[in-house]
Amino acid sequence: MQFGDLAEVFDRLEKTSSRLEMTDILAEFFRNVKPEEIRKTIYLSVGRLHPDFVPLELGMADKLVLKAIASVSGRRSEEVEDLWTKTGDPGEVAEMLIAKKKQMTLFSEPLSFQNVIEGLTAIENASGKDSQDKKMKLLARMLHDSSPLEARYLCRIVTGRMRVGAGTMTAMDALASAFASKEDRPDIERAFNITCDMGLVAETLASGGLDAVKGIEVSVGNPVKVMLAERLRSLPEIMERLGGKCAFEYKYDGIRVQAHIKKGPGGFVKLFSRRLEDLTSNFPDIGEALLRQLKGREAIVEGECVAYDPDTGTLQPFQNVTHRRKKHGMEKAVEDIPVRIFLFDMLYCNGEDYTLKPYSFRRMRLESSFKDDDSERYDRIGYTSRAIIDSDEKAQKFFDGAIAARCEGIMAKSLSEDSVYRAGSRGFLWIKYKKDYTQALVDSFDLTVVGAFYGMGKRAGKYGALLMAAYDPDTGRFGTACKLGTGFDDAFLDAMPGLLEKYRCETKPASLDAEMVPDVWFIPGVVLEVTAADISLSPIHTIAYGTVKEDAGLGLRFPRFTGRVRDDKTPEQCTTASEIVEFYRMQEDRDNGDVE
Ligand SMILES: Nc1ncnc2c1ncn2[C@@H]1O[C@H](COP(=O)(O)OP(=O)(O)OP(=O)(O)O)[C@@H](O)[C@H]1O
């Protein structure tokens, strides 16, 4: 395959916002290329050479890319920089300048897909003291042989700005259409949810068919997509929904970690965040304890890492544990900020996949899988406090106990036979209930920044407000939910432009529906936690458009930033359109007096 074929597919995908059309474009492409090329294409479509959980990144500094474009196009660096500032997109700049250059030059070698993969791999692996120069030259060599369109995508890939609009849902539809049927979609989705590796699933399907995909298993080292909880507004409602009897666990306020542990030769421990970042170096003490205290050979377990005072045995506020996410000074942070992991689930143990086993089985196995450790200052490993609850009174008592122990609330978990670990989905097998639910508006929202408005008065020269969006997994699109201008302190106002710069784009992102037009657009990337007074029908915001009322979306009233940047969430893990609709309906019930 030539790289040009792929660049054309990217271009066609980018030009449409119809998910059906994207599916057709991709399916047609998949049918015509080799299985391993499909795999690499899937990684490249988000600017990578590996699945998301492999920490290696191509990421070249903007300055280097600028230098490479300048050298190939024969322009001065200042000229390239100027264009880049105007468009905000290195891809567009490279495309434009290389098109001009090509009119003058006679020939260059056509760029094969393989050449590009090799070139990018060499960029990724370049190390040593002149690595920057090497990277620049490798890119320049590829740009020299590129068509303008190829140059556009090469520069977006290496600067981490690759977004073609087709998400994993579309890729799965396309794979089903190319190699299986619509009915097989759940098997493809499960394979993805237990491996987090769409490239692997695609290559397996293209080369071995659906049976091979069904044979894909949970494996230690490959993160599993996390299971998420639904919410309800009152404890009696939760009890009723779970059949009058369920397990309650404390809902700890920390950082969720999925630990992959393998002992013996070639052994390792890896801690993944819920967005698949490798957190092992942030919690070295927890990793070591898990490896040391595991009784079996290998396991995948989940827990919440919480700041903890070993002297009093009390939980500490969430802010404390976030210091462990800093990149530097980890040794001191480990010393200064003791953390304990409270385990709540077991997904795999000694060669056996537990994700399809019921909750009680998984919990029982979990609790017998680790040794206690009295030799250290404190045992780094604990289990979430838990009880079987069968009445509203017991539910209330357990909840009060959780709040007194400084937890956020409770997680109610189904005890039914089918209470499997539903990788990658939010459902009523787990239901969360928090302290805030008893207050004015249920819970907070996690929304992604898609635009900014320049500030005035005291905020002149900075962004004064942000346009925030939520995600609709059914359509694969984002819709706006509010304009957010409250809750920013000076430090955040100063940091905002830097935080958002990487996501800046010239026009409205292809995956976004928006009526409101900000001064600057951003591709969904940064997620912020927001509270609001209530939710109302909105003529201007587009999330859940037409769901509650024809010709109206839903909007958050009096939104306020809580100060928490949710860097543990991807934009697709934001509050969803249906959750916002659910909030709206809960609020209607409350206002009608249906809920206490
Ligand atoms: N006992 C527990 N069982 C499961 N999850 C727990 C438990 N204690 C704390 N948690 C945390 O609660 C989260 C579950 O809430 P939810 O699925 O709604 O995630 P979320 O969208 O991040 O919500 P929130 O912002 O409320 O944490 C888990 O991701 C996990 O981090």
Side-chain angles (χ1 to χ4, degrees), residues 226-231 249-257 274 302-304 342-345 363 384-385 408 410-411 413 426 430 432 434 437 443-444 446 529 564 566 568-569 573 579:
V226 297
M227 172 167 177
L228 295 169
E230 275 291 352
R231 53 167 82 71
E249 295 182 12
Y250 283 4
K251 185 178 193 303
Y252 296 78
D253 197 8
I255 294 178
R256 183 175 189 162
V257 161
R274 52 182 287 176
E302 269 189 1
E304 192 86 354
F342 290 88
L343 297 174
F344 55 75
D345 219 314
R363 178 78 194 201
T384 51
S385 287
E408 266 190 308
I410 57 98
M411 294 287 281
K413 298 189 175 177
R426 193 183 286 281
W430 287 5
K432 60 180 173 178
K434 293 201 220 174
Y437 297 4
D443 211 355
S444 54
D446 298 317
E529 189 178 77
R564 201 152 158 176
R566 293 295 307 243
D568 58 332
K569 283 196 169 184
Q573 291 169 340
E579 284 178 279

Side-chain angles (χ1 to χ4, degrees), residues 149-165:
L149 194 64
E150 290 168 328
R152 182 206 292 174
Y153 291 108
L154 276 178
C155 288
R156 285 193 188 158
I157 288 171
V158 295
T159 53
R161 288 177 171 85
M162 190 62 191
R163 311 277 189 298
V164 285

Side-chain angles (χ1 to χ4, degrees), residues 231-434:
R231 53 167 82 71
L232 283 173
R233 238 195 101 77
S234 75
L235 291 170
E237 251 184 290
I238 294 178
M239 293 308 296
E240 196 186 323
R241 178 91 199 200
L242 293 177
K245 186 172 174 185
C246 59
F248 267 31
E249 295 182 12
Y250 283 4
K251 185 178 193 303
Y252 296 78
D253 197 8
I255 294 178
R256 183 175 189 162
V257 161
Q258 189 178 90
H260 291 237
I261 316 157
K262 194 178 187 113
K263 294 210 299 210
F268 58 83
V269 60
K270 270 191 193 155
L271 308 181
F272 292 106
S273 76
R274 52 182 287 176
R275 63 180 293 178
L276 311 181
E277 292 153 319
D278 194 332
L279 294 181
T280 319
S281 59
N282 301 80
F283 299 106
D285 46 344
I286 300 291
E288 279 160 29
L290 289 167
L291 197 58
R292 201 173 47 235
Q293 292 172 238
L294 178 71
K295 291 183 191 160
R297 282 184 278 109
E298 49 176 3
I300 304 176
V301 292
E302 269 189 1
E304 192 86 354
C305 282
V306 190
Y308 181 78
D309 181 344
D311 299 326
T312 57
T314 48
L315 304 173
Q316 302 299 305
F318 173 78
Q319 281 71 12
N320 295 21
V321 75
T322 56
H323 295 304
R324 284 284 194 104
R325 301 202 59 155
K326 283 189 192 142
K327 298 226 162 26
H328 305 291
M330 190 44 66
E331 250 168 58
K332 187 159 172 3
V334 167
E335 194 60 28
D336 292 351
I337 307 151
V339 166
R340 190 163 198 220
I341 187 165
F342 290 88
L343 297 174
F344 55 75
D345 219 314
M346 181 159 222
L347 282 58
Y348 179 91
C349 181
N350 295 341
E352 208 184 331
D353 179 356
Y354 284 0
T355 57
L356 296 176
K357 306 265 189 217
Y359 162 78
S360 304
F361 173 92
R362 302 197 309 273
R363 178 78 194 201
M364 190 181 68
R365 289 297 170 94
L366 173 72
E367 287 184 20
S368 58
S369 294
F370 291 88
K371 293 182 264 198
D372 294 338
D373 187 358
D374 310 324
S375 64
E376 294 279 314
R377 183 169 159 219
Y378 67 100
D379 195 341
R380 300 280 192 299
I381 302 176
Y383 301 99
T384 51
S385 287
R386 151 183 199 272
I388 303 297
I389 303 291
D390 57 9
S391 71
D392 291 355
E393 294 69 43
K394 285 185 193 160
Q396 186 62 46
K397 209 164 154 217
F398 190 89
F399 176 76
D400 293 342
I403 300 301
R406 304 188 184 178
C407 284
E408 266 190 308
I410 57 98
M411 294 287 281
K413 298 189 175 177
S414 165
L415 293 171
S416 70
E417 266 309 296
D418 62 359
S419 57
V420 296
Y421 184 93
R422 206 162 274 159
S425 80
R426 193 183 286 281
F428 282 99
L429 290 174
W430 287 5
I431 306 175
K432 60 180 173 178
Y433 183 76
K434 293 201 220 174

Side-chain angles (χ1 to χ4, degrees), residues 33-54:
V33 297
K34 295 188 202 130
E36 66 273 19
E37 289 174 337
I38 301 183
R39 182 177 193 150
K40 293 284 183 201
T41 294
I42 285 180
Y43 301 147
L44 277 190
S45 70
V46 287
R48 297 182 56 89
L49 289 173
H50 317 277
D52 289 349
F53 58 86
V54 175

